[in-house]
Amino acid sequence: MKTTLTAIKGTKDILPSEARLWQKAEAVCREIFEAYGYREIRTPIIEPTELFVKGTGETTDIVTKEMYTFKDKGGRSITLRPEYTPSVVRAIIEHRLYLQPSLLRFYYFGPMFRHDRPQKGRYRQFHQVDIEVFGESDPAVDAEILEMADYLLDRLQIKDKELLINSVGCPICRPRYLTFLRQEAEKLKSCLCLDCQRRVELNPLRLFDCKEPVCQETNQALPKIMDHLCSDCQTHFDDLRRWLDFYGLSYRLEPRLVRGLDYYTRTTFEIISPGLGAQKALLGGGRYDHLMKLYGGPDICGIGFAMGLERVLTLAKIIPDEEKSIYLAYLGEKSKERCLRLCRDLRRQGFSSFLEYKDRGLKEQLGRANKLGVNWTIILGEDELAKGVGQIKEMASGAQKAVPLEQIIAILKILKRGEKNWPK
Ligand code: HAM
């Protein structure tokens, strides 16, 4: 039986027609991140499994259910990264980047892997744009990254968005709150799904991550961490709100926003867009002041967010930069040689130019140029070659002009700038 090979469920090809949009979105992100002082960092896709078990959290859904983990040939447990934050923290410690005078602000683009049930907006291989800031504990930086996220989404022409914020406390106030939460959740245990019944004992904060309708309803009756913050966490949160007002950013308090990952302290946030349907988080993040220390590094706080590119691109109203391309049509060996030389020179001047190697007549080549949607065709038949000229044909208007071969590049440069009149 003949089998057809297809992409793995939950993964997708990004075809050339879409890739332009991805490049444009990435260019906008890059430009903004660089302007805000971030620099690119690239880390491996595979990491030791314990990096995520320890950082993301051993009782989180990501670690218990969603990781792509395998043993390599040396018997070591390897995981395809499900998120990026642990990797960047590891890299900072490993390369002692905190000893350098440069800003500890990083950005990153790349694929992540989570074995969840695929649905609209949820993939098993998806792409995140991620930013992280280290060593800044002032809540003004929490607001600054949200201001940057807001500006970024504006630049990507995403208007339909809402910022949700919460605080998940710190190692001083959270244990007290968790004890109380566990007590209250015990009373409602019979109303919870089996996973959540286990969570009550193991990690009750994760009760708020559950998507089961019965659990979501029951969770409404559970105590909110925001009502149990210590005075330092309360002050941090109040100051964050003050800075958000300073930037004129509107937001909604979401006391159940605990974000599914164990490392968060204090600020957590998401920007959602109702236009996305069930998977409506465009980006999510928060503060993680103890992760670096947990990994055996120095006591340096961190905060960041990651944005899902697939989700962003379903809403972004950006238009890829217009391409200007040139087709070279030739006839016979001599003309082919001249066209190849011209094509090479055009490419070196930044023109997207090409010719095809099939044995076709000039008319047929013009037909191809038309189909390919190029801006100009250079026609170099036997007559033209004998006269040392080439015809430049502007495909949109059909206008055509013979110009000396050595002037072709200069003339195309003028035409590329969009000057209407054909140069004399
Ligand atoms: P996260 O909320 O798990 O956070 O993911 C961030 C974003 O990635 C989500 O808001 C969503 O847009 C996208 N995303 C997540 N899972 C999927 C999926 N299966 N398919 C498509 N898109 C998805 C983190 O990953 C944290 N590391 C963020 C962070 C950075 N916190 C601090 N620094």
Side-chain angles (χ1 to χ4, degrees):
M1 202 176 68
K2 204 169 148 194
T3 52
T4 318
L5 288 173
T6 55
I8 288 171
K9 193 172 167 199
T11 71
K12 76 189 193 82
D13 300 310
I14 300 164
L15 301 175
S17 55
E18 295 166 84
R20 283 270 178 250
L21 214 58
W22 282 71
Q23 287 166 359
K24 177 77 187 181
E26 285 166 7
V28 171
C29 293
R30 199 179 287 278
E31 179 205 313
I32 293 175
F33 298 156
E34 294 274 344
Y36 278 74
Y38 294 81
R39 293 295 174 262
E40 187 171 4
I41 184 167
R42 301 183 189 197
T43 62
I45 285 174
I46 52 173
E47 292 279 4
T49 303
E50 57 266 33
L51 184 75
F52 304 107
V53 174
K54 205 167 178 183
T56 311
E58 61 185 332
T59 57
T60 58
D61 277 357
I62 292 183
V63 171
T64 55
K65 301 181 190 164
E66 297 171 7
M67 294 206 303
Y68 282 88
T69 296
F70 58 95
K71 285 254 160 63
D72 72 2
K73 295 217 163 71
R76 180 149 200 202
S77 183
I78 305 286
T79 291
L80 300 186
R81 62 180 176 204
E83 59 146 340
Y84 175 62
T85 313
S87 301
V88 71
V89 176
R90 176 200 52 67
I92 290 172
I93 300 170
E94 193 170 330
H95 303 285
R96 312 221 290 169
L97 294 182
Y98 48 85
L99 295 179
Q100 294 177 10
S102 41
L103 287 178
L104 292 174
R105 291 181 170 220
F106 305 96
Y107 70 90
Y108 178 80
F109 300 92
M112 307 291 150
F113 304 84
R114 296 184 192 174
H115 192 275
D116 202 350
R117 200 165 40 82
Q119 56 171 254
K120 184 170 169 262
R122 194 203 274 152
Y123 300 95
R124 289 181 172 167
Q125 176 177 332
F126 58 98
H127 297 78
Q128 284 187 344
V129 177
D130 185 292
I131 63 105
E132 312 286 351
V133 179
F134 295 90
E136 297 276 18
S137 56
D138 191 322
V141 83
D142 306 26
E144 189 204 290
I145 70 171
L146 289 168
E147 185 275 330
M148 180 176 76
D150 186 65
Y151 173 55
L152 175 60
L153 294 172
D154 274 353
R155 286 279 305 274
L156 295 170
Q157 310 279 332
I158 298 177
K159 297 273 172 264
D160 183 21
K161 58 182 189 285
E162 187 182 19
L163 168 62
L164 313 178
I165 59 166
N166 190 22
S167 173
V168 291
C170 70
I172 293 172
C173 52
R174 197 164 14 182
R176 280 201 301 267
Y177 163 74
L178 290 181
T179 307
F180 181 49
L181 176 63
R182 194 173 281 121
Q183 270 169 22
E184 294 304 301
E186 277 293 345
K187 296 179 196 160
L188 301 170
K189 213 168 169 178
S190 59
C191 309
L192 297 169
C193 73
L194 286 176
D195 273 350
C196 280
Q197 292 186 9
R198 277 192 292 276
R199 286 177 182 133
V200 172
E201 197 39 52
L202 285 174
N203 191 348
L205 202 61
R206 301 274 68 89
L207 290 170
F208 296 111
D209 298 327
C210 187
K211 300 288 176 294
E212 292 291 331
V214 300
C215 299
Q216 291 205 343
E217 204 182 311
T218 312
N219 288 345
Q220 301 286 331
L222 293 175
K224 303 174 187 129
I225 189 156
M226 227 187 252
D227 298 331
H228 298 265
L229 297 178
C230 61
S231 65
D232 283 351
C233 287
Q234 190 62 53
T235 306
H236 188 97
F237 196 57
D238 294 343
D239 286 348
L240 164 65
R241 296 180 64 180
R242 195 165 52 77
W243 285 116
L244 290 176
D245 293 342
F246 166 85
Y247 284 119
L249 290 178
S250 49
Y251 58 87
R252 176 156 62 84
L253 297 185
E254 181 43 78
R256 285 172 194 84
L257 185 72
V258 295
R259 300 255 322 111
L261 308 147
D262 274 355
Y263 47 66
Y264 290 120
T265 45
R266 296 191 170 163
T267 311
T268 52
F269 57 84
E270 271 181 9
I271 297 183
I272 59 164
S273 180
L276 284 172
Q279 301 303 318
K280 55 182 184 289
L282 283 168
L283 64 84
R287 187 166 269 289
Y288 48 93
D289 289 346
H290 308 294
L291 186 58
M292 186 124 23
K293 205 162 163 219
L294 180 76
Y295 283 149
D299 192 3
I300 296 178
C301 60
I303 180 165
F305 68 73
M307 179 169 93
L309 267 172
E310 283 80 3
R311 293 185 194 175
V312 160
L313 282 168
T314 59
L315 299 182
K317 303 252 173 346
I318 44 172
I319 299 163
D321 296 331
E322 202 197 332
E323 274 180 79
K324 301 260 185 193
S325 54
I326 302 168
Y327 190 98
L328 292 99
Y330 62 92
L331 201 64
E333 210 52 26
K334 283 251 148 28
S335 150
K336 179 179 176 182
E337 271 177 26
R338 190 64 187 89
C339 274
L340 279 171
R341 214 168 327 126
L342 183 57
C343 191
R344 181 195 61 191
D345 296 345
L346 279 164
R347 287 168 174 166
R348 289 182 184 187
Q349 295 294 320
F351 285 96
S352 165
S353 23
F354 47 92
L355 45 75
E356 292 182 296
Y357 296 94
K358 301 212 169 53
D359 189 16
R360 290 185 173 120
L362 280 178
K363 211 166 150 209
E364 227 183 316
Q365 292 181 66
L366 267 172
R368 282 284 300 155
N370 223 347
K371 274 208 190 106
L372 292 169
V374 301
N375 300 78
W376 301 283
T377 303
I378 298 171
I379 307 159
L380 194 58
E382 280 157 352
D383 277 2
E384 285 84 8
L385 198 61
K387 291 184 195 145
V389 297
Q391 304 274 352
I392 301 181
K393 185 176 168 103
E394 191 177 56
M395 302 305 279
S397 64
Q400 187 169 321
K401 198 176 171 89
V403 295
L405 281 171
E406 58 281 1
Q407 285 178 24
I408 284 187
I409 294 182
I411 289 172
L412 281 165
K413 277 187 185 168
I414 296 170
L415 293 175
K416 193 179 179 185
R417 286 202 296 270
E419 290 173 23
K420 287 276 178 301
N421 294 329
W422 280 61
K424 298 259 159 11

